[in-house]
Amino acid sequence: MSGFDDAARSGLSATGLEAVLRQVGAERCHNRHLFHHRMTAGSLSKIEMQAWALNRYCYQAVIPRKDATILARAKDPTFRAAWRKRIEDHDGEDGRSGGVARWLHLAASLGLDADAVESGRLAVASSLTELISPAIIGERVPALQHAYGEEKNIPPGAFRPQEA
């Protein structure tokens, strides 16, 4: 029986729920997938990297809108103050310098048309990774910089934040 089954039957404290989510993340998150291993090893083609960057942009671009909906429905001002930081992280303080802009920069650096990427006409897939993504990103960025540098025709700086 999984931790989720146990939680559904008996409920969990906040700490218990977090532990279950971390366990599921450790067992099933995308960093365990063959595609992730191929990417960090440097064996993806440029087209596969473009598809991955496009997918990640589409996923990340939705997060601040979802968070704004949660924020708009929240009654607790302390919760709202804390939640605003999530929107700023993704949109940036000026609306164009946060994480979403960095994903757009990566997609464009890989040769995709930024306007087409930003238009939202493209398909999207998503997942819950908030609890474990810092460790994955810490592994992914250096591996991508090493594996897909200029030798693979990807410009310097593609995997680093764009200067505002």
Side-chain angles (χ1 to χ4, degrees):
M1 188 174 295
S2 75
F4 280 136
D5 293 332
D6 294 339
R9 286 188 176 79
S10 60
L12 286 174
S13 65
T15 304
L17 176 60
E18 181 177 340
V20 169
L21 290 174
R22 287 187 185 279
Q23 175 188 348
V24 170
E27 294 170 358
R28 301 181 191 175
C29 195
H30 60 270
N31 65 316
R32 298 179 63 82
H33 193 278
L34 177 61
F35 186 90
H36 176 80
H37 294 286
R38 287 183 55 229
M39 179 174 57
T40 58
S43 62
L44 296 183
S45 69
K46 187 171 182 180
I47 291 171
E48 288 172 314
M49 284 298 298
Q50 288 174 325
W52 174 78
L54 174 61
N55 176 274
R56 295 306 300 168
Y57 171 83
C58 291
Y59 167 70
Q60 295 292 325
V62 172
I63 291 173
R65 297 192 307 262
K66 172 194 63 89
D67 286 345
T69 300
I70 292 169
L71 188 65
R73 295 174 181 217
K75 295 177 182 168
D76 179 358
T78 303
F79 174 83
R80 288 194 310 265
W83 206 261
R84 269 195 313 267
K85 174 84 170 89
R86 292 173 50 90
I87 296 171
E88 291 170 2
D89 288 346
H90 282 85
D91 281 347
E93 289 183 15
D94 61 358
R96 301 298 295 170
S97 62
V100 174
R102 289 191 295 274
W103 283 105
L104 181 61
H105 171 68
L106 173 60
S109 294
L110 291 169
L112 297 173
D113 179 81
D115 290 335
V117 171
E118 204 169 18
S119 73
R121 295 186 307 254
L122 307 165
V124 64
S126 65
S127 64
L128 173 65
T129 59
E130 291 291 325
L131 292 175
I132 56 177
S133 63
I136 296 169
I137 291 168
E139 170 190 319
R140 181 184 294 152
V141 171
L144 295 179
Q145 289 172 331
H146 175 75
Y148 295 97
E150 292 181 61
E151 303 154 8
K152 298 240 178 154
N153 204 20
I154 295 174
F159 299 110
R160 290 187 296 277
Q162 184 177 17
E163 295 297 320

